[in-house]
Amino acid sequence: MPSAAAITQTVNSYLRHLAEGATDQIVSLYTADATIEDPIGADVLRGHDAIRAFYAAIQDAKKDTELAEIRVGGNEAAFLWHLTLDAGDSRTRISPISVMTFDDDAKVASMRAFWSPSDVRVL
């Protein structure tokens, strides 16, 4: 089982790479057969190709991420974070609660993001 420190490091790397638009680095944090359900209720994506396509869709957007809180238990983490998108004349913020499970190497085996359109705020 990965340590809490290793899991926290993966979450921080995930948020940093997301802000940078570093799609390949994000994909490298996931296991080969990982799943994403973002937001909850959306189709579940599986594997590196689907994960790459998911993140590539927003890689060029100007954005910032901020970790608000994280809780690690066993091989899972739940964390509240903020994604701020800057479109020049407008800024919006989404504050998902993401839940990730990890393999023994602290790679993401699954990610589920709890948010809905009503959680999007114009700043």
Side-chain angles (χ1 to χ4, degrees), residues 24-107:
D24 287 337
Q25 287 82 357
I26 294 169
V27 172
S28 74
L29 298 173
Y30 283 88
T31 63
D33 62 345
T35 60
I36 291 178
E37 184 180 1
D38 185 352
I40 293 299
D43 290 339
V44 175
L45 306 176
R46 181 178 302 277
H48 280 175
D49 290 341
I51 291 168
R52 182 175 287 105
F54 177 80
Y55 290 107
I58 62 165
Q59 74 181 3
D60 295 330
K62 185 176 177 184
K63 59 198 163 304
D64 292 307
T65 59
E66 176 188 353
L67 180 62
E69 291 189 49
I70 185 169
R71 302 288 186 271
V72 177
N75 68 330
E76 298 185 56
F79 55 100
L80 170 64
W81 61 286
H82 308 293
L83 172 63
T84 304
L85 299 164
D86 188 341
D89 59 346
S90 68
R91 293 179 57 198
T92 56
R93 176 173 285 167
I94 305 167
S95 298
I97 297 172
S98 294
V99 177
M100 291 180 167
T101 60
F102 299 85
D103 72 0
D104 289 342
D105 297 318
K107 287 197 171 239

Side-chain angles (χ1 to χ4, degrees), residues 102-116:
F102 299 85
D103 72 0
D104 289 342
D105 297 318
K107 287 197 171 239
V108 181
S110 69
M111 188 276 284
R112 300 178 74 215
F114 292 78
W115 68 276
S116 69

